[in-house]
Amino acid sequence: MSGMKQKNFSERLSAARDAKQAMAAKFRQRPGSDDPAVAERRAARAAVSAARDVRLAEREAQRRAENAQRATDEARLAAEREALAAEQAEQEKRAAAEKAANEVKLEAERKAARDARYAARKARK
């Protein structure tokens, strides 16, 4: 490792000072806040931000409109289901009433047939 050069303390101090000066010079080269390029970039960022806010507001409005539409659709479907259920209940009620009427009629026919058989048996004796 004889190829390595040993630096003494003053050389290291001067290298550190040079590095700090280079960093400070680089920082000073940055444009100030009153520079037209900086103002232009700031305005462009503000325009992008405003456009983003507009898009977010549009999406929120669209989402609310879809939710309102979905709610009205659900309410309409619920009303249709309720009407259908009421109609089916009415049909079942009518069917039960018809069945009861048929049972009464059938029972009356059976009784009449039984009475006719009884009367025929009595007439034979």
Side-chain angles (χ1 to χ4, degrees):
M1 301 242 175
S2 61
M4 288 184 58
K5 183 177 179 182
Q6 296 292 330
K7 292 186 178 181
N8 61 17
F9 184 68
S10 63
E11 288 176 347
R12 288 192 309 229
L13 279 178
S14 111
R17 184 181 61 244
D18 292 342
K20 286 180 185 177
Q21 286 177 350
M23 286 174 49
K26 185 177 178 185
F27 180 74
R28 280 188 232 115
Q29 287 177 351
R30 289 184 54 192
S33 62
D34 59 343
D35 189 24
V38 172
E40 185 179 327
R41 282 195 303 266
R42 189 178 305 132
R45 280 195 303 266
V48 167
S49 178
R52 183 181 311 121
D53 291 343
V54 167
R55 285 192 311 270
L56 285 173
E58 288 173 354
R59 269 188 252 139
E60 181 68 19
Q62 182 180 4
R63 185 182 61 81
R64 286 184 180 168
E66 288 173 357
N67 286 345
Q69 180 66 32
R70 190 175 303 122
T72 57
D73 288 347
E74 289 174 359
R76 181 181 50 78
L77 289 175
E80 288 176 2
R81 275 189 233 115
E82 190 174 309
L84 184 62
E87 184 180 329
Q88 286 177 347
E90 184 64 30
Q91 286 177 354
E92 289 173 3
K93 189 187 279 186
R94 273 194 307 251
E98 287 176 10
K99 183 176 179 182
N102 285 340
E103 286 292 326
V104 168
K105 181 180 171 187
L106 188 60
E107 188 61 34
E109 288 175 0
R110 284 185 197 142
K111 185 172 189 233
R114 189 175 58 237
D115 289 346
R117 282 193 312 268
Y118 181 73
R121 203 173 33 228
K122 285 288 188 178
R124 278 184 291 196
K125 287 187 184 182

